[in-house]
Amino acid sequence: MTSIARLKIERRDASGAIALATFEVPYEPGQSVLDGLRWIRVNRDPTLAFRYSCLNANACKECMMEVDGEVVYACLARMEPREMQLAPLHNKPLVRDLVTEIAPPPERLNPKKR
């Protein structure tokens, strides 16, 4: 019997209201939260937005999010066979789903200045 992790993900609907989407993910010891998110996008919901850019362990900082209210790197946080709540960083502007704006303002692309 395979264990299950339930990832409850904070998303916003078209009106901006928060909606929680729950996904059951096959669990194996050692899996990261990022592994679970990638499984969801491939097998359940290709529209789920999250950011990662794995070049070297703990080097990119792109996969930061809140897991059970704690700010973590999704690539380092271990998934567990229980319900886990995932949310975007609450102190950053929301782009979509678990994606927040992390680049400092001077480094952001500004199409008006082209």
Side-chain angles (χ1 to χ4, degrees), residues 21-42:
T22 302
F23 298 93
E24 292 189 347
V25 178
Y27 167 81
E28 291 184 26
Q31 286 179 307
S32 69
V33 170
L34 182 58
D35 292 331
L37 291 170
R38 292 176 65 211
W39 186 91
I40 291 167
R41 192 156 60 188
V42 168

Side-chain angles (χ1 to χ4, degrees), residues 8-21 23 45 47-49 66 85-100:
K8 198 173 217 179
I9 301 172
E10 185 177 303
R11 300 177 89 174
R12 300 209 182 243
D13 64 18
S15 71
I18 295 174
L20 295 175
F23 298 93
D45 186 351
T47 69
L48 178 63
E66 295 181 16
Q85 188 155 338
L86 283 58
L89 297 173
H90 284 96
N91 64 338
K92 302 286 184 185
L94 181 66
V95 176
R96 191 174 125 222
D97 295 337
L98 297 171
V99 179
T100 54

Side-chain angles (χ1 to χ4, degrees), residues 45-60:
D45 186 351
T47 69
L48 178 63
F50 56 94
R51 180 183 285 145
Y52 69 99
S53 178
C54 301
L55 298 174
N56 193 348
N58 201 21
C60 67

Side-chain angles (χ1 to χ4, degrees), residues 59-77:
C60 67
K61 298 179 178 68
E62 297 250 339
C63 66
M64 287 180 76
M65 63 184 63
E66 295 181 16
V67 176
D68 295 329
E70 182 180 343
V71 176
V72 299
Y73 296 111
C75 64
L76 297 177

